[in-house]
Amino acid sequence: MQERDWRPESLTAQGLGWVDASTQAINPPIHMSSTFLRTPDYGTERAYIRDQNPAFEQAEALLAKLEGGAAAALLASGMAAATSVFMALKPGDHVVAPQLMYWSLRNWLLTYATEWGIEVTLVDMRDLAALRQAMRPGKTQLVWIETPGNPLWSVTDIAAAARIAHAAGARLAVDSTVATPVFTQPLKLGADIVMHSATKYLNGHSDLCAGALVTKEKDAAWERIIQVRYQLGAIPGSVDAWLLLRGMRSLFPRVRQQAATALTLAQRLAQHPAISDVLYPGLPGFPGHEIAKAQMQGGFGGMLSVRVKAGTEAAKATAARVGLWQRATSLGGTESLIEHRASIEGPGSPVPGDLLRLSVGLEDAGDLYDDLDQALKGGNALG
Ligand SMILES: *Cc1c(COP(=O)(O)O)cnc(C)c1O
């Protein structure tokens, strides 16, 4: 690819268009080596795999480009990416995070992070006054938001959250896993750091586990996060990094199609007599729809949830009856997934029992609707 300001779609389709200098291969080689030769005077471009794996460079450069950041880092998982940001803080530091967010990270914040001396305040991030009130200038180092946020897909105003964080001397980090860089670039809205579970849409094929961070500035806070990754060895393998770049090449058409199907399903399910509520930022009646419209470009993502009118048992029975949707956790793959979220999260989960979380894949929208419809009605048309 000739150097030029190509659009993100073009850059992504070609994985930045890098060509292997030694073979002219248009896909990168995988160097299965944990260590790298030094010159006689001990000079080296790369020293050791835990620090500098060449297999990461192309995916990291592409992610930095897509998010408009100064640098990006691949990590072993979304959780490794998120926890590295918090572990780069110091005991006594205060952070503000959402009440409703990715369940495992919420658990980690309330257990390990708290036990290690990080003070955690959880607030409803849809309520900016509550966020403002939770800030402790001089003590709050980080505000963490997730938008759209699991599993109600609540929308947080990134630009407003950034202003509130910065006014108190804190940084803003955004879990943008569900929005993807296709629809939202948080750094351009004022965020300091973006996190992705690359296990989800970035890879898009439900066949690896990885995470990513992108920073606006290569500042001291970023260097500390990179040290955490290096010292803990929170890195994916070379083959997974290669697969991630391969998956990312189709990111734009995949997530645009998934978002279009999700919108169609949300609109149709909102009319379904067995459903009391459809939670999707793309629906005009959804609280946060106006903010989503302003900060998401070209789509509202592929995730939605429905609440089953007849309650918890009926929701579970619906998930038990699907024939095309796959009953599994996770999201962002080519196959559509359905999940009774309260069962997965267990006791203490704030998720309503009548809620089913849907990750929309690449199947035909009519087939997906028909399968849900028969499952809601109690038949089994496909099985
Ligand atoms: C899956 C997920 C994570 C965690 O990512 P892993 O790759 O499973 O560690 C974090 N945030 C969101 C929104 C997720 O969906």
Side-chain angles (χ1 to χ4, degrees):
M1 189 190 288
Q2 272 179 348
E3 286 284 333
R4 234 195 70 182
D5 226 1
W6 305 107
R7 292 189 174 85
E9 290 86 339
S10 307
L11 293 170
T12 308
Q14 295 200 7
L16 278 184
W18 290 6
V19 172
D20 177 42
S22 62
T23 62
Q24 301 302 302
I26 61 169
N27 273 296
I30 306 176
H31 297 288
M32 300 305 283
S33 186
S34 59
T35 190
F36 303 87
L37 194 64
R38 288 171 183 267
T39 56
D41 60 357
Y42 269 76
T44 181
E45 212 178 304
R46 297 186 181 86
Y48 187 54
I49 193 170
R50 177 151 46 76
D51 195 14
Q52 297 143 305
N53 188 339
F56 297 179
E57 287 166 12
Q58 205 162 339
E60 288 178 345
L62 179 56
L63 275 169
K65 187 91 187 165
L66 292 181
E67 293 286 8
L74 295 191
L75 290 102
S77 65
M79 279 298 286
T83 55
S84 294
V85 175
F86 291 99
M87 287 166 81
L89 301 175
K90 296 182 178 149
D93 285 348
H94 175 241
V95 303
V96 185
Q99 266 161 7
L100 271 175
M101 64 189 293
Y102 181 70
W103 178 240
S104 296
L105 184 59
R106 183 177 184 271
N107 268 355
W108 184 85
L109 285 173
L110 294 179
T111 53
Y112 291 95
T114 302
E115 287 158 16
W116 284 344
I118 292 181
E119 289 183 41
V120 181
T121 304
L122 302 183
V123 303
D124 181 345
M125 288 289 179
R126 292 167 297 188
D127 180 356
L128 293 172
L131 171 59
R132 215 173 279 116
Q133 229 164 37
M135 300 301 295
R136 299 188 215 152
K139 197 153 163 60
T140 309
Q141 295 298 324
L142 184 74
V143 173
W144 183 274
I145 62 174
E146 179 183 326
T147 183
N150 256 288
L152 308 184
W153 317 114
S154 42
V155 176
T156 301
D157 185 332
I158 298 171
R163 282 194 297 273
I164 293 168
H166 294 159
R171 292 153 51 79
L172 178 72
V174 181
D175 182 341
S176 197
T177 299
V178 169
T180 80
V182 174
F183 299 131
T184 308
Q185 287 99 35
L187 301 181
K188 294 182 183 160
L189 297 168
D192 301 285
I193 198 155
V194 176
M195 172 249 151
H196 288 282
S197 168
T199 313
K200 314 294 172 51
Y201 289 103
L202 293 182
N203 177 58
H205 294 77
S206 308
D207 54 9
L208 63 81
C209 184
L213 294 171
V214 188
T215 185
K216 181 145 78 183
E217 309 281 354
K218 272 173 122 171
D219 50 14
W222 177 251
E223 293 310 326
R224 230 175 123 82
I225 291 167
I226 293 301
Q227 279 300 306
V228 171
R229 173 179 78 160
Y230 167 53
Q231 283 160 352
L232 294 180
I235 51 165
S238 305
V239 175
D240 281 353
W242 188 94
L243 278 170
L244 173 59
L245 183 68
R246 184 177 73 167
M248 277 175 65
R249 285 172 180 254
S250 60
L251 177 71
F252 278 81
R254 263 194 290 110
V255 302
R256 282 181 178 153
Q257 179 64 45
Q258 284 164 318
T261 304
L263 180 61
T264 301
L265 289 176
Q267 287 164 342
R268 291 190 69 185
L269 290 167
Q271 310 298 319
H272 199 286
I275 284 175
S276 60
D277 201 6
V278 176
L279 308 173
Y280 185 63
L283 292 180
F286 184 78
H289 172 66
E290 290 304 320
I291 300 163
K293 234 167 60 181
Q295 73 186 18
M296 301 184 83
Q297 264 86 56
F300 299 94
M303 296 302 298
L304 68 151
S305 294
V306 295
R307 298 186 67 173
V308 178
K309 218 176 250 175
T312 301
E313 291 314 311
K316 286 189 193 169
T318 301
R321 279 193 294 259
V322 290
L324 178 61
W325 293 76
Q326 305 274 16
R327 225 170 5 265
T329 195
S330 198
L331 54 103
T334 62
E335 65 290 305
S336 292
L337 304 178
I338 187 167
E339 179 177 60
H340 184 251
R341 195 67 206 160
S343 294
I344 299 286
E345 296 189 4
S349 164
V351 178
D354 60 5
L355 181 140
L356 293 171
R357 189 179 87 168
L358 306 175
S359 169
V360 177
L362 293 177
E363 304 90 339
D364 177 76
D367 281 350
L368 289 172
Y369 179 84
D370 291 348
D371 188 36
L372 276 180
D373 179 50
Q374 67 75 23
L376 283 161
K377 284 176 178 156
N380 194 346
L382 294 160

